[in-house]
Amino acid sequence: MSDKDTIRQRTLEATHLQAIEGNPLDAEQLAMFEMFDREGWSPERQRAYILERARSAAAQQAAE
């Protein structure tokens, strides 16, 4: 199995575990993680991206 196949398998397993825990990923979230895998983002870059998205979403909710 190639590295890409291994990463894809881990992503699918993580998605399944999220669903079991009652917090399934939506299509947008799944696409985001697939983008990280496809483009080879570092864990640090992934974390920064996710934190910025969370901050933006919180700011939008606060503004409403």
Side-chain angles (χ1 to χ4, degrees):
M1 188 179 318
S2 72
D3 286 344
K4 257 190 168 172
D5 292 335
T6 300
I7 291 169
R8 177 70 177 146
Q9 183 63 34
R10 287 181 182 166
T11 301
L12 291 173
E13 289 172 6
T15 301
H16 181 69
L17 291 173
Q18 285 293 116
I20 289 171
E21 293 175 0
N23 187 23
L25 298 177
D26 62 23
E28 184 180 349
Q29 292 167 328
L30 186 55
M32 177 185 65
F33 286 111
E34 288 175 346
M35 175 191 69
F36 292 162
D37 294 342
R38 185 179 59 252
E39 296 182 10
W41 285 32
S42 70
E44 295 80 14
R45 186 174 177 199
Q46 292 176 33
R47 179 178 164 83
Y49 181 85
I50 292 168
L51 288 172
E52 181 55 37
R53 282 185 55 162
R55 286 184 193 109
S56 293
Q60 284 180 342
Q61 285 184 340
E64 293 176 356

mmCIF file of all heavy atoms in Angstrom, residues 34-58:
data_model
loop_
_atom_site.group_PDB
_atom_site.id
_atom_site.type_symbol
_atom_site.label_atom_id
_atom_site.label_comp_id
_atom_site.label_asym_id
_atom_site.label_seq_id
_atom_site.Cartn_x
_atom_site.Cartn_y
_atom_site.Cartn_z
ATOM 1 N N GLU A 34 -9.392 15.812 2.819
ATOM 2 C CA GLU A 34 -8.893 15.234 1.576
ATOM 3 C C GLU A 34 -7.945 16.196 0.872
ATOM 4 O O GLU A 34 -6.939 15.784 0.299
ATOM 5 C CB GLU A 34 -10.052 14.835 0.673
ATOM 6 C CG GLU A 34 -10.794 13.617 1.193
ATOM 7 C CD GLU A 34 -12.022 13.252 0.392
ATOM 8 O OE1 GLU A 34 -12.488 14.087 -0.431
ATOM 9 O OE2 GLU A 34 -12.525 12.141 0.587
ATOM 10 N N MET A 35 -8.234 17.496 0.936
ATOM 11 C CA MET A 35 -7.351 18.510 0.365
ATOM 12 C C MET A 35 -6.005 18.487 1.082
ATOM 13 O O MET A 35 -4.947 18.530 0.447
ATOM 14 C CB MET A 35 -7.971 19.905 0.477
ATOM 15 C CG MET A 35 -7.056 21.027 0.000
ATOM 16 S SD MET A 35 -7.635 22.680 0.409
ATOM 17 C CE MET A 35 -7.442 22.707 2.181
ATOM 18 N N PHE A 36 -6.029 18.411 2.412
ATOM 19 C CA PHE A 36 -4.781 18.341 3.176
ATOM 20 C C PHE A 36 -3.933 17.159 2.696
ATOM 21 O O PHE A 36 -2.733 17.302 2.473
ATOM 22 C CB PHE A 36 -5.051 18.166 4.669
ATOM 23 C CG PHE A 36 -5.691 19.332 5.363
ATOM 24 C CD1 PHE A 36 -6.314 19.141 6.584
ATOM 25 C CD2 PHE A 36 -5.680 20.609 4.830
ATOM 26 C CE1 PHE A 36 -6.899 20.197 7.267
ATOM 27 C CE2 PHE A 36 -6.268 21.678 5.497
ATOM 28 C CZ PHE A 36 -6.881 21.472 6.718
ATOM 29 N N ASP A 37 -4.575 16.009 2.552
ATOM 30 C CA ASP A 37 -3.866 14.808 2.111
ATOM 31 C C ASP A 37 -3.330 14.974 0.692
ATOM 32 O O ASP A 37 -2.176 14.684 0.411
ATOM 33 C CB ASP A 37 -4.778 13.583 2.169
ATOM 34 C CG ASP A 37 -5.192 13.203 3.577
ATOM 35 O OD1 ASP A 37 -4.524 13.650 4.537
ATOM 36 O OD2 ASP A 37 -6.179 12.459 3.714
ATOM 37 N N ARG A 38 -4.189 15.442 -0.194
ATOM 38 C CA ARG A 38 -3.838 15.575 -1.602
ATOM 39 C C ARG A 38 -2.682 16.551 -1.809
ATOM 40 O O ARG A 38 -1.777 16.306 -2.601
ATOM 41 C CB ARG A 38 -5.078 16.030 -2.377
ATOM 42 C CG ARG A 38 -4.918 16.112 -3.867
ATOM 43 C CD ARG A 38 -6.201 16.535 -4.569
ATOM 44 N NE ARG A 38 -6.696 17.828 -4.123
ATOM 45 C CZ ARG A 38 -7.774 18.027 -3.362
ATOM 46 N NH1 ARG A 38 -8.491 17.007 -2.940
ATOM 47 N NH2 ARG A 38 -8.164 19.237 -3.010
ATOM 48 N N GLU A 39 -2.713 17.660 -1.066
ATOM 49 C CA GLU A 39 -1.708 18.705 -1.246
ATOM 50 C C GLU A 39 -0.519 18.564 -0.308
ATOM 51 O O GLU A 39 0.415 19.352 -0.379
ATOM 52 C CB GLU A 39 -2.364 20.072 -1.091
ATOM 53 C CG GLU A 39 -3.410 20.323 -2.173
ATOM 54 C CD GLU A 39 -4.056 21.686 -2.084
ATOM 55 O OE1 GLU A 39 -3.579 22.543 -1.309
ATOM 56 O OE2 GLU A 39 -5.052 21.902 -2.806
ATOM 57 N N GLY A 40 -0.555 17.553 0.559
ATOM 58 C CA GLY A 40 0.587 17.282 1.424
ATOM 59 C C GLY A 40 0.864 18.356 2.465
ATOM 60 O O GLY A 40 2.017 18.648 2.758
ATOM 61 N N TRP A 41 -0.201 18.918 3.041
ATOM 62 C CA TRP A 41 -0.026 19.963 4.060
ATOM 63 C C TRP A 41 0.618 19.370 5.308
ATOM 64 O O TRP A 41 0.285 18.268 5.732
ATOM 65 C CB TRP A 41 -1.369 20.552 4.437
ATOM 66 C CG TRP A 41 -1.953 21.485 3.412
ATOM 67 C CD1 TRP A 41 -1.804 21.416 2.058
ATOM 68 C CD2 TRP A 41 -2.794 22.595 3.664
ATOM 69 N NE1 TRP A 41 -2.509 22.421 1.472
ATOM 70 C CE2 TRP A 41 -3.125 23.156 2.419
ATOM 71 C CE3 TRP A 41 -3.317 23.151 4.811
ATOM 72 C CZ2 TRP A 41 -3.939 24.274 2.300
ATOM 73 C CZ3 TRP A 41 -4.133 24.258 4.696
ATOM 74 C CH2 TRP A 41 -4.435 24.823 3.456
ATOM 75 N N SER A 42 1.487 20.137 5.931
ATOM 76 C CA SER A 42 2.096 19.713 7.191
ATOM 77 C C SER A 42 1.053 19.794 8.303
ATOM 78 O O SER A 42 0.080 20.556 8.200
ATOM 79 C CB SER A 42 3.277 20.619 7.543
ATOM 80 O OG SER A 42 2.805 21.912 7.903
ATOM 81 N N PRO A 43 1.241 19.027 9.375
ATOM 82 C CA PRO A 43 0.299 19.108 10.500
ATOM 83 C C PRO A 43 0.185 20.523 11.063
ATOM 84 O O PRO A 43 -0.912 20.961 11.441
ATOM 85 C CB PRO A 43 0.892 18.150 11.534
ATOM 86 C CG PRO A 43 1.661 17.165 10.721
ATOM 87 C CD PRO A 43 2.224 17.958 9.566
ATOM 88 N N GLU A 44 1.281 21.263 11.096
ATOM 89 C CA GLU A 44 1.247 22.634 11.615
ATOM 90 C C GLU A 44 0.391 23.535 10.734
ATOM 91 O O GLU A 44 -0.390 24.349 11.226
ATOM 92 C CB GLU A 44 2.671 23.214 11.715
ATOM 93 C CG GLU A 44 3.551 22.511 12.715
ATOM 94 C CD GLU A 44 4.150 21.200 12.199
ATOM 95 O OE1 GLU A 44 4.123 20.931 10.964
ATOM 96 O OE2 GLU A 44 4.632 20.424 13.041
ATOM 97 N N ARG A 45 0.533 23.387 9.411
ATOM 98 C CA ARG A 45 -0.262 24.194 8.485
ATOM 99 C C ARG A 45 -1.741 23.823 8.575
ATOM 100 O O ARG A 45 -2.614 24.689 8.528
ATOM 101 C CB ARG A 45 0.261 23.999 7.061
ATOM 102 C CG ARG A 45 -0.405 24.894 6.057
ATOM 103 C CD ARG A 45 0.238 24.770 4.693
ATOM 104 N NE ARG A 45 -0.476 25.593 3.743
ATOM 105 C CZ ARG A 45 -0.415 25.447 2.433
ATOM 106 N NH1 ARG A 45 0.384 24.531 1.923
ATOM 107 N NH2 ARG A 45 -1.109 26.222 1.634
ATOM 108 N N GLN A 46 -2.025 22.523 8.713
ATOM 109 C CA GLN A 46 -3.406 22.070 8.857
ATOM 110 C C GLN A 46 -4.041 22.694 10.102
ATOM 111 O O GLN A 46 -5.166 23.203 10.053
ATOM 112 C CB GLN A 46 -3.464 20.548 8.972
ATOM 113 C CG GLN A 46 -3.089 19.827 7.715
ATOM 114 C CD GLN A 46 -3.067 18.331 7.897
ATOM 115 O OE1 GLN A 46 -3.850 17.775 8.669
ATOM 116 N NE2 GLN A 46 -2.176 17.660 7.190
ATOM 117 N N ARG A 47 -3.303 22.641 11.205
ATOM 118 C CA ARG A 47 -3.806 23.185 12.471
ATOM 119 C C ARG A 47 -4.081 24.679 12.354
ATOM 120 O O ARG A 47 -5.137 25.158 12.774
ATOM 121 C CB ARG A 47 -2.798 22.907 13.583
ATOM 122 C CG ARG A 47 -3.197 23.449 14.930
ATOM 123 C CD ARG A 47 -2.155 23.069 15.987
ATOM 124 N NE ARG A 47 -2.275 23.847 17.181
ATOM 125 C CZ ARG A 47 -3.117 23.601 18.163
ATOM 126 N NH1 ARG A 47 -3.930 22.574 18.083
ATOM 127 N NH2 ARG A 47 -3.155 24.361 19.235
ATOM 128 N N ALA A 48 -3.157 25.418 11.750
ATOM 129 C CA ALA A 48 -3.336 26.861 11.579
ATOM 130 C C ALA A 48 -4.572 27.153 10.727
ATOM 131 O O ALA A 48 -5.352 28.063 11.035
ATOM 132 C CB ALA A 48 -2.084 27.478 10.958
ATOM 133 N N TYR A 49 -4.767 26.391 9.672
ATOM 134 C CA TYR A 49 -5.921 26.575 8.788
ATOM 135 C C TYR A 49 -7.226 26.323 9.532
ATOM 136 O O TYR A 49 -8.173 27.116 9.452
ATOM 137 C CB TYR A 49 -5.783 25.630 7.590
ATOM 138 C CG TYR A 49 -6.893 25.737 6.583
ATOM 139 C CD1 TYR A 49 -6.864 26.691 5.572
ATOM 140 C CD2 TYR A 49 -7.980 24.852 6.617
ATOM 141 C CE1 TYR A 49 -7.879 26.774 4.636
ATOM 142 C CE2 TYR A 49 -8.997 24.927 5.686
ATOM 143 C CZ TYR A 49 -8.939 25.892 4.696
ATOM 144 O OH TYR A 49 -9.958 25.974 3.775
ATOM 145 N N ILE A 50 -7.271 25.219 10.286
ATOM 146 C CA ILE A 50 -8.480 24.870 11.030
ATOM 147 C C ILE A 50 -8.771 25.909 12.107
ATOM 148 O O ILE A 50 -9.924 26.325 12.290
ATOM 149 C CB ILE A 50 -8.359 23.452 11.629
ATOM 150 C CG1 ILE A 50 -8.358 22.417 10.497
ATOM 151 C CG2 ILE A 50 -9.482 23.165 12.620
ATOM 152 C CD1 ILE A 50 -7.967 21.023 10.931
ATOM 153 N N LEU A 51 -7.745 26.354 12.825
ATOM 154 C CA LEU A 51 -7.945 27.379 13.863
ATOM 155 C C LEU A 51 -8.452 28.681 13.257
ATOM 156 O O LEU A 51 -9.336 29.332 13.823
ATOM 157 C CB LEU A 51 -6.660 27.612 14.643
ATOM 158 C CG LEU A 51 -6.246 26.488 15.591
ATOM 159 C CD1 LEU A 51 -4.860 26.758 16.167
ATOM 160 C CD2 LEU A 51 -7.267 26.326 16.706
ATOM 161 N N GLU A 52 -7.928 29.065 12.103
ATOM 162 C CA GLU A 52 -8.390 30.297 11.452
ATOM 163 C C GLU A 52 -9.847 30.161 11.013
ATOM 164 O O GLU A 52 -10.630 31.093 11.163
ATOM 165 C CB GLU A 52 -7.499 30.635 10.258
ATOM 166 C CG GLU A 52 -7.896 31.912 9.553
ATOM 167 C CD GLU A 52 -7.968 33.133 10.472
ATOM 168 O OE1 GLU A 52 -7.134 33.239 11.388
ATOM 169 O OE2 GLU A 52 -8.855 33.982 10.265
ATOM 170 N N ARG A 53 -10.214 29.005 10.495
ATOM 171 C CA ARG A 53 -11.624 28.782 10.115
ATOM 172 C C ARG A 53 -12.534 28.860 11.330
ATOM 173 O O ARG A 53 -13.632 29.420 11.267
ATOM 174 C CB ARG A 53 -11.781 27.422 9.440
ATOM 175 C CG ARG A 53 -11.312 27.421 8.009
ATOM 176 C CD ARG A 53 -11.577 26.129 7.323
ATOM 177 N NE ARG A 53 -12.994 25.780 7.422
ATOM 178 C CZ ARG A 53 -13.614 24.911 6.655
ATOM 179 N NH1 ARG A 53 -12.949 24.291 5.719
ATOM 180 N NH2 ARG A 53 -14.885 24.644 6.817
ATOM 181 N N ALA A 54 -12.085 28.290 12.450
ATOM 182 C CA ALA A 54 -12.889 28.335 13.674
ATOM 183 C C ALA A 54 -13.038 29.772 14.164
ATOM 184 O O ALA A 54 -14.130 30.182 14.584
ATOM 185 C CB ALA A 54 -12.253 27.466 14.753
ATOM 186 N N ARG A 55 -11.961 30.533 14.125
ATOM 187 C CA ARG A 55 -12.028 31.941 14.547
ATOM 188 C C ARG A 55 -12.971 32.736 13.646
ATOM 189 O O ARG A 55 -13.768 33.546 14.124
ATOM 190 C CB ARG A 55 -10.631 32.573 14.510
ATOM 191 C CG ARG A 55 -9.754 32.129 15.630
ATOM 192 C CD ARG A 55 -8.410 32.869 15.614
ATOM 193 N NE ARG A 55 -7.476 32.225 16.497
ATOM 194 C CZ ARG A 55 -6.418 31.535 16.111
ATOM 195 N NH1 ARG A 55 -6.103 31.421 14.845
ATOM 196 N NH2 ARG A 55 -5.634 30.959 17.004
ATOM 197 N N SER A 56 -12.886 32.507 12.352
ATOM 198 C CA SER A 56 -13.765 33.211 11.412
ATOM 199 C C SER A 56 -15.229 32.867 11.658
ATOM 200 O O SER A 56 -16.090 33.744 11.641
ATOM 201 C CB SER A 56 -13.400 32.850 9.964
ATOM 202 O OG SER A 56 -12.135 33.353 9.646
ATOM 203 N N ALA A 57 -15.500 31.591 11.896
ATOM 204 C CA ALA A 57 -16.888 31.166 12.144
ATOM 205 C C ALA A 57 -17.404 31.787 13.446
ATOM 206 O O ALA A 57 -18.550 32.251 13.513
ATOM 207 C CB ALA A 57 -16.968 29.645 12.224
ATOM 208 N N ALA A 58 -16.555 31.835 14.481
ATOM 209 C CA ALA A 58 -16.965 32.434 15.745
ATOM 210 C C ALA A 58 -17.208 33.925 15.597
ATOM 211 O O ALA A 58 -18.183 34.462 16.143
ATOM 212 C CB ALA A 58 -15.902 32.180 16.804
#
